[in-house]
Amino acid sequence: MQNAQTNILKLFILILFSFGFQSVWAQSTTVSGKLIDANTKEPLAYANVSVLDANDEIVTGTVTPESGIFQFQVERGEYNLRIQFISYQTINRKLVADKSKIEFGTIELSEDVNQLSEVEVVARRPQMEMKLDKRVFNVGEDLSNIGSNAEAMLDNLPSVTVDIDGNVSLRGSGNVRILIDGRPSGLVGISGGSALRQIQTDQIERVEVITNPSARYEAEGNAGIINIIMKKEKKGGFNGSVSTNVGYPAIGGVNGNLNYRKGKINLFGAYGITYRENFGGGYIDQEFTPEDTTYSTYVDRQRERSGVSQNARFGLDYSFNESTTLTGSFLYRISDENNLSYNYYDDYDGIDRNTRELVRRSVRIQNEKEDEEVLEYDLNFTKTFGGDDDHKLTADLQYRNNTETEDSDLRNERFVISQDQFVDSIQQRSLIDEFSENILMQANYVKPIGENRSFEAGWRSTLRTITNEYEVTQNIEGQEADSVLSDFTNDFIYNENVHALYAIYNSEFNKFTYQIGLRAELTDITTRLKSPVDTTNARDYLNLFPSVFMTYEFNKLHALQASYSRRFDRPGFRSLNPFSNFNDDRNIRIGNPNLNPEFTDSYEMGLMNNFSDGTLYSGLYYRRTTGVTERINTVIDGITYVQPQNLAERNSIGIENNYSHDLNDWWRLNGNLNVFYSDTYGVVNEQVFEAQTFTASGRATSQMNFKNDFNFQLSAFYRAPQQTTQGTRKAFYMVDLGFSKEVLDNKGTLALNVRDLLNSRKWRTTTVGEDFFYDSEFQWRTTTVTLSFDYRINSNKRKGERGRDGGDFEGGGDEY
């Protein structure tokens, strides 16, 4: 591995020395400028900038990104520059391309009063867009997300899956880093996956899936980064939206986003409150074959989850001038959940289902109250230089603390066959008090070098402390006082400090564009188990993470992309904590304080094809991971312990295809297919764990837009079986339906969503060990029906024309 790093660094240095030998376009002209609203002075995104010849034929052009800046190359000569944007007056200017660079500066567009009252046709964003280093999903265009939450929304994205515990995987691999607006956030919280259920999709603008992140991003997250961009209006004046949701099982909520912009000040805020119930359950059929005996257990599991969650975001942008902005924001999130679960155990003598004999029956009932509170404060400073948004300095400071309490009453009841009833036997209680404090400091600087090159550098430090006090007490029927179960009671402290520096160089010549970067991260982690025995474990490591991205444009419609990045995954707080869960005393999850990081080298190459009525991306990827972490099951005296362990390595290779096709003006098809092979190998306690699997997953969506502003969507998802180191994840499929209708002069949208129409989203697995075999099935929620109404304030919904380009969505806040 050291040789591989050495070779990569040599390549990095070699390319740096090649900067001076690049060719210059002698016979072309670079044209640039910036479009803004003449009234609000805000940048205009998604405007069309076209270059026409003497016959009024389009030679080239572009669509402005959110910054409003346009730039393109054109052969030398005389042309007409035409700028068009719906509801604005068209601008025509003469363009004489007789030198290497022409700058139009800032161009103001004024609203066309004759069009304002009859605007009906505006480019609609596609559900998915391909960018150089990411895929952008405009989740609001997907009707199956209406009235849903972030967890279900992510599970609806191509190549992304969310398991029954809320763990997110990308292309079949876990360890995905989830960001909000480009940075860690209290909206994700300590619990990660479970906190995603508290974020409603009405508050989300888009999602960026980055399968091969550059050195700009923190190195954490082997599988990639998912960046959730929250809504924030940029229009002048007062605007926003309010939405309400009702559904079955019981769902009710109200969400609002408001924005006021005038002069140098922009105020923004959002608030949401939601009540939701989920019903789920499943079974585990367990067979045990230790020496000299055989026995089995069938567990019937039933779950009821309900609760209220609220989150509020408020902030202020203050523009000192056109180039300097200071933003302060505040986030508050609180959730109050009640979880009720029943585990019914039938214990048998023998494992043959036809002859085994019932010897014992019992039930374990858990009534859990889970409360969480999050406070987050953010401060951002942004300064651009020379009126160029590509030349800028940003600095960020964030403070966040999370408090989480889980209080569970647990009761074991045994069934007395002679009395034909359950009787109380053992009362238990588990109490978790958890507190997290996080500080983020960062600065980034980007500077263009000449016409087609740029340099970027940054620094980032995060300081994190988590304390976890966990106590389990027990009272056996007839016992006078509760006793503490010392084997399961602990006091755990986790300290993590990470410091990073990175540098990136971008360059473009002829049809070739490339980016190279290098990131260095110093990690210092200390864990302390204060009880039952005071134990401290300290680790620190310094690592380098290079990245390379290259694009070759055959023409304006076809391009070849290639990339490489090195990333890693630190063992997290949950994985290092020796013990943190006693909900099921027969199936216990424990941590491993001796875990080491995983390291992944990721390679990807893809061909992007744009057609007149669609797009197709086909990509080949390969990942090599060392120190793979997997949860290994072991059985001791009939109790299953699940603990993360470092295996040796995993090699994965796959092909991913993303296709979008406009069949006509009202019917669009989207499809995704991911096929991959994975080979995992490792040894734990002299036992070999290995798996070779060839599997696939795919999603297809049919979206129809009829007259009278009525929309219909049908989506289907399928995931093929997958071999694991201890068994199989069986196949499952899911079908969603969505309907929407524009009302109130396009100020409102009424929508109906049916998720998991066939009630088929069930996680089915088999687990095999030397002396046990499990067959299990579980689902968190049944079929869900949601009715939603969204009302837009001073912001009619744009509709009609397709427009595949949709603009270039850059960033999503700052990219870290």
Side-chain angles (χ1 to χ4, degrees):
M1 188 59 64
Q2 289 182 343
N3 291 334
Q5 286 188 345
T6 302
N7 292 333
I8 292 168
L9 291 176
K10 288 181 179 178
L11 175 63
F12 184 88
I13 295 171
L14 180 62
I15 298 176
L16 284 174
F17 277 108
S18 70
F19 293 164
F21 299 97
Q22 299 172 29
S23 59
V24 179
W25 288 14
Q27 300 301 322
S28 64
T29 298
T30 299
V31 181
S32 62
K34 181 177 181 179
L35 305 183
I36 66 171
D37 184 296
N39 181 35
T40 67
K41 308 302 180 183
E42 291 298 312
L44 290 177
Y46 321 124
N48 292 309
V49 181
S50 306
V51 176
L52 299 91
D53 59 18
N55 298 319
D56 214 28
E57 296 288 336
I58 295 179
V59 176
T60 186
T62 186
V63 177
T64 57
E66 293 190 356
S67 64
I69 295 175
F70 64 86
Q71 181 174 306
F72 54 83
Q73 267 102 14
V74 67
E75 297 297 321
R76 298 197 177 186
E78 294 188 2
Y79 305 94
N80 179 41
L81 182 70
R82 181 171 296 169
I83 301 172
Q84 296 173 300
F85 193 52
I86 298 298
S87 81
Y88 286 79
Q89 297 176 3
T90 297
I91 291 180
N92 289 284
R93 291 193 179 183
K94 187 174 182 180
L95 171 60
V96 180
D98 56 359
K99 51 187 178 181
S100 62
K101 185 176 183 180
I102 295 179
E103 296 182 356
F104 279 95
T106 300
I107 300 175
E108 296 185 353
L109 272 68
S110 301
E111 293 180 333
D112 189 340
V113 294
N114 295 323
Q115 296 185 40
L116 289 177
S117 61
E118 54 187 40
V119 172
E120 291 291 334
V121 180
V122 175
R124 182 173 62 84
R125 299 178 182 177
Q127 285 189 13
M128 185 189 74
E129 298 176 272
M130 297 297 302
K131 304 302 173 186
L132 175 63
D133 60 349
K134 61 192 169 189
R135 286 173 291 167
V136 179
F137 295 92
N138 300 301
V139 294
E141 302 296 332
D142 190 337
L143 298 183
S144 62
N145 291 322
I146 293 175
S148 184
N149 57 48
E151 182 190 73
M153 176 268 297
L154 291 181
D155 196 35
N156 211 27
L157 296 181
S159 301
V160 179
T161 57
V162 183
D163 68 14
I164 59 175
D165 296 319
N167 300 311
V168 181
S169 298
L170 178 60
R171 289 176 172 174
S173 177
N175 302 325
V176 179
R177 186 66 164 157
I178 299 176
L179 306 177
I180 305 292
D181 290 333
R183 58 176 68 87
S185 173
L187 286 173
V188 176
I190 297 176
S191 301
S194 64
L196 292 171
R197 292 193 294 268
Q198 318 303 332
I199 309 173
Q200 300 305 299
T201 52
D202 302 319
Q203 299 177 328
I204 299 173
E205 179 179 338
R206 66 184 186 273
V207 178
E208 300 171 347
V209 177
I210 308 164
T211 56
N212 214 3
S214 70
R216 175 184 301 112
Y217 299 90
E218 58 179 316
E220 178 83 6
N222 281 336
I225 292 174
I226 295 177
N227 188 20
I228 300 174
I229 310 301
M230 307 301 288
K231 288 181 178 178
K232 181 181 175 183
E233 289 286 348
K234 294 186 176 181
K235 294 177 58 178
F238 179 74
N239 51 77
S241 65
V242 178
S243 64
T244 60
N245 304 301
V246 294
Y248 175 84
I251 301 171
V254 178
N255 294 277
N257 294 274
L258 298 175
N259 198 93
Y260 178 74
R261 182 182 294 272
K262 184 175 179 62
K264 296 183 176 183
I265 295 178
N266 176 54
L267 295 170
F268 57 90
Y271 172 76
I273 180 170
T274 300
Y275 174 80
R276 185 180 297 269
E277 292 181 357
N278 286 318
F279 299 94
Y283 68 85
I284 308 177
D285 198 350
Q286 303 170 310
E287 299 176 2
F288 303 96
T289 56
E291 295 181 0
D292 304 326
T293 184
T294 61
Y295 59 97
S296 57
T297 298
Y298 184 88
V299 187
D300 180 14
R301 303 191 290 175
Q302 299 178 16
R303 298 287 190 274
E304 300 176 15
R305 299 178 66 94
S306 63
V308 177
S309 63
Q310 302 178 67
N311 63 74
R313 295 184 301 125
F314 302 100
L316 168 68
D317 297 323
Y318 182 79
S319 300
F320 297 94
N321 49 53
E322 290 188 0
S323 63
T324 307
T325 303
L326 182 67
T327 301
S329 62
F330 168 74
L331 163 71
Y332 179 70
R333 179 170 70 84
I334 186 171
S335 64
D336 182 1
E337 287 192 358
N338 292 288
N339 305 318
L340 186 62
S341 66
Y342 299 85
N343 287 342
Y344 295 94
Y345 304 94
D346 287 346
D347 297 315
Y348 297 89
D349 186 8
I351 61 175
D352 189 329
R353 289 176 175 80
N354 296 319
T355 62
R356 63 186 184 180
E357 180 181 352
L358 179 65
V359 296
R360 188 183 306 105
R361 179 170 287 175
S362 61
V363 61
R364 184 172 176 84
I365 304 171
Q366 178 195 16
N367 190 349
E368 179 189 59
K369 182 176 178 59
E370 182 177 351
D371 297 327
E372 185 177 8
E373 184 181 57
V374 179
L375 293 169
E376 179 179 288
Y377 308 86
D378 286 277
L379 195 63
N380 168 265
F381 174 81
T382 301
K383 180 173 179 58
T384 60
F385 300 90
D388 184 0
D389 281 356
D390 291 332
H391 185 193
K392 66 179 179 180
L393 170 69
T394 62
D396 290 87
L397 176 63
Q398 180 190 86
Y399 173 79
R400 178 176 76 254
N401 65 61
N402 304 36
T403 302
E404 186 173 333
T405 302
E406 297 178 19
D407 191 353
S408 297
D409 288 321
L410 303 152
R411 186 168 77 251
N412 281 9
E413 297 180 356
R414 56 185 175 87
F415 185 82
V416 180
I417 298 177
S418 60
Q419 300 178 14
D420 195 30
Q421 65 178 356
F422 286 101
V423 297
D424 289 340
S425 57
I426 299 177
Q427 296 275 358
Q428 296 173 331
R429 183 191 181 201
S430 68
L431 178 63
I432 301 176
D433 281 323
E434 192 168 270
F435 177 76
S436 172
E437 188 174 50
N438 304 265
I439 298 174
L440 165 68
M441 298 171 288
Q442 174 170 293
N444 300 272
Y445 178 69
V446 183
K447 178 176 175 56
I449 304 173
E451 297 178 7
N452 304 306
R453 293 176 291 169
S454 67
F455 176 77
E456 180 178 346
W459 152 74
R460 185 178 192 267
S461 289
T462 58
L463 312 176
R464 186 184 188 193
T465 299
I466 301 177
T467 60
N468 180 281
E469 297 180 3
Y470 188 44
E471 182 181 68
V472 179
T473 58
Q474 176 173 284
N475 184 284
I476 300 175
E477 189 173 4
Q479 182 176 301
E480 293 184 1
D482 293 348
S483 59
V484 176
L485 299 183
S486 58
D487 289 344
F488 304 114
T489 298
N490 65 55
D491 189 351
F492 188 70
I493 301 175
Y494 175 88
N495 288 293
E496 175 191 276
N497 299 320
V498 181
H499 306 283
L501 295 171
Y502 82 90
I504 290 178
Y505 180 84
N506 296 274
S507 183
E508 175 184 340
F509 59 95
N510 293 332
K511 298 182 177 182
F512 181 68
T513 303
Y514 70 84
Q515 177 196 98
I516 59 173
L518 182 64
R519 186 180 189 92
E521 287 199 358
L522 174 64
T523 303
D524 179 8
I525 295 178
T526 301
T527 62
R528 182 186 177 191
L529 185 63
K530 296 176 65 176
S531 63
V533 179
D534 199 328
T535 306
T536 300
N537 191 345
R539 300 191 178 197
D540 61 85
Y541 31 87
L542 173 65
N543 302 103
L544 298 178
F545 301 94
S547 65
V548 180
F549 291 81
M550 294 176 287
T551 298
Y552 181 82
E553 285 191 357
F554 298 100
N555 50 50
K556 292 295 182 182
L557 300 178
H558 307 286
L560 180 67
Q561 299 176 349
S563 61
Y564 162 80
S565 70
R566 178 170 172 80
R567 301 183 61 75
F568 82 144
D569 187 72
R570 305 179 190 91
F573 160 75
R574 298 288 186 195
S575 297
L576 295 175
N577 191 351
F579 188 82
S580 62
N581 190 292
F582 196 59
N583 297 340
D584 184 348
D585 58 355
R586 296 202 192 184
N587 295 277
I588 299 174
R589 292 194 172 188
I590 58 178
N592 182 356
N594 296 314
L595 278 180
N596 292 313
E598 294 183 7
F599 289 88
T600 295
D601 291 280
S602 178
Y603 306 82
E604 187 165 346
M605 178 175 291
L607 183 62
M608 185 70 183
N609 294 284
N610 293 284
F611 309 103
S612 59
D613 54 2
T615 61
L616 171 64
Y617 173 81
S618 297
L620 174 68
Y621 61 89
Y622 169 71
R623 288 196 301 260
R624 174 176 172 78
T625 303
T626 57
V628 174
T629 301
E630 282 212 357
R631 293 189 177 275
I632 302 299
N633 291 30
T634 57
V635 176
I636 303 175
D637 298 329
I639 299 176
T640 301
Y641 295 90
V642 184
Q643 184 180 43
Q645 298 283 357
N646 285 119
L647 303 183
E649 62 182 45
R650 174 181 292 142
N651 292 282
S652 302
I653 185 169
I655 298 175
E656 184 170 15
N657 294 279
N658 296 283
Y659 182 63
S660 177
H661 185 196
D662 292 335
L663 297 177
N664 47 47
D665 290 340
W666 56 272
W667 191 1
R668 168 181 288 169
L669 297 177
N670 291 292
N672 168 269
L673 178 63
N674 178 36
V675 181
F676 70 92
Y677 171 82
S678 178
D679 184 355
T680 305
Y681 177 85
V683 178
V684 178
N685 296 327
E686 300 182 352
Q687 183 179 353
V688 174
F689 294 90
E690 59 182 335
Q692 294 82 36
T693 186
F694 181 79
T695 187
S697 65
R699 185 173 188 264
T701 301
S702 174
Q703 195 175 37
M704 301 179 182
N705 303 280
F706 300 104
K707 294 182 179 180
N708 301 319
D709 301 316
F710 178 76
N711 301 315
F712 168 74
Q713 179 176 297
L714 173 66
S715 300
F717 172 81
Y718 174 76
R719 193 191 69 184
Q722 181 178 345
Q723 297 296 315
T724 68
T725 56
Q726 282 192 295
T728 305
R729 296 190 187 104
K730 299 180 182 180
F732 79 78
Y733 61 93
M734 183 172 63
V735 176
D736 298 332
L737 288 177
F739 308 86
S740 72
K741 177 74 169 65
E742 300 302 314
V743 295
L744 303 178
D745 295 328
N746 291 320
K747 292 182 179 180
T749 301
L750 188 66
L752 177 69
N753 168 260
V754 183
R755 186 163 176 81
D756 195 8
L757 176 68
L758 305 178
N759 196 31
S760 57
R761 189 182 183 274
K762 300 177 180 180
W763 289 82
R764 301 178 301 143
T765 63
T766 61
T767 306
V768 181
E770 291 183 339
D771 55 2
F772 63 87
F773 173 82
Y774 298 168
D775 179 49
S776 66
E777 176 181 293
F778 193 83
Q779 69 176 146
W780 266 118
R781 62 185 65 84
T782 57
T783 301
T784 304
V785 181
T786 306
L787 180 65
S788 174
F789 176 69
D790 181 50
Y791 182 77
R792 293 171 289 278
I793 303 170
N794 294 332
S795 179
N796 286 13
K797 185 174 183 179
R798 297 172 175 177
K799 59 171 189 170
E801 185 179 298
R802 287 302 175 95
R804 287 183 297 103
D805 291 330
D808 184 11
F809 295 94
E810 285 298 332
D814 298 301
E815 299 175 332
Y816 298 123

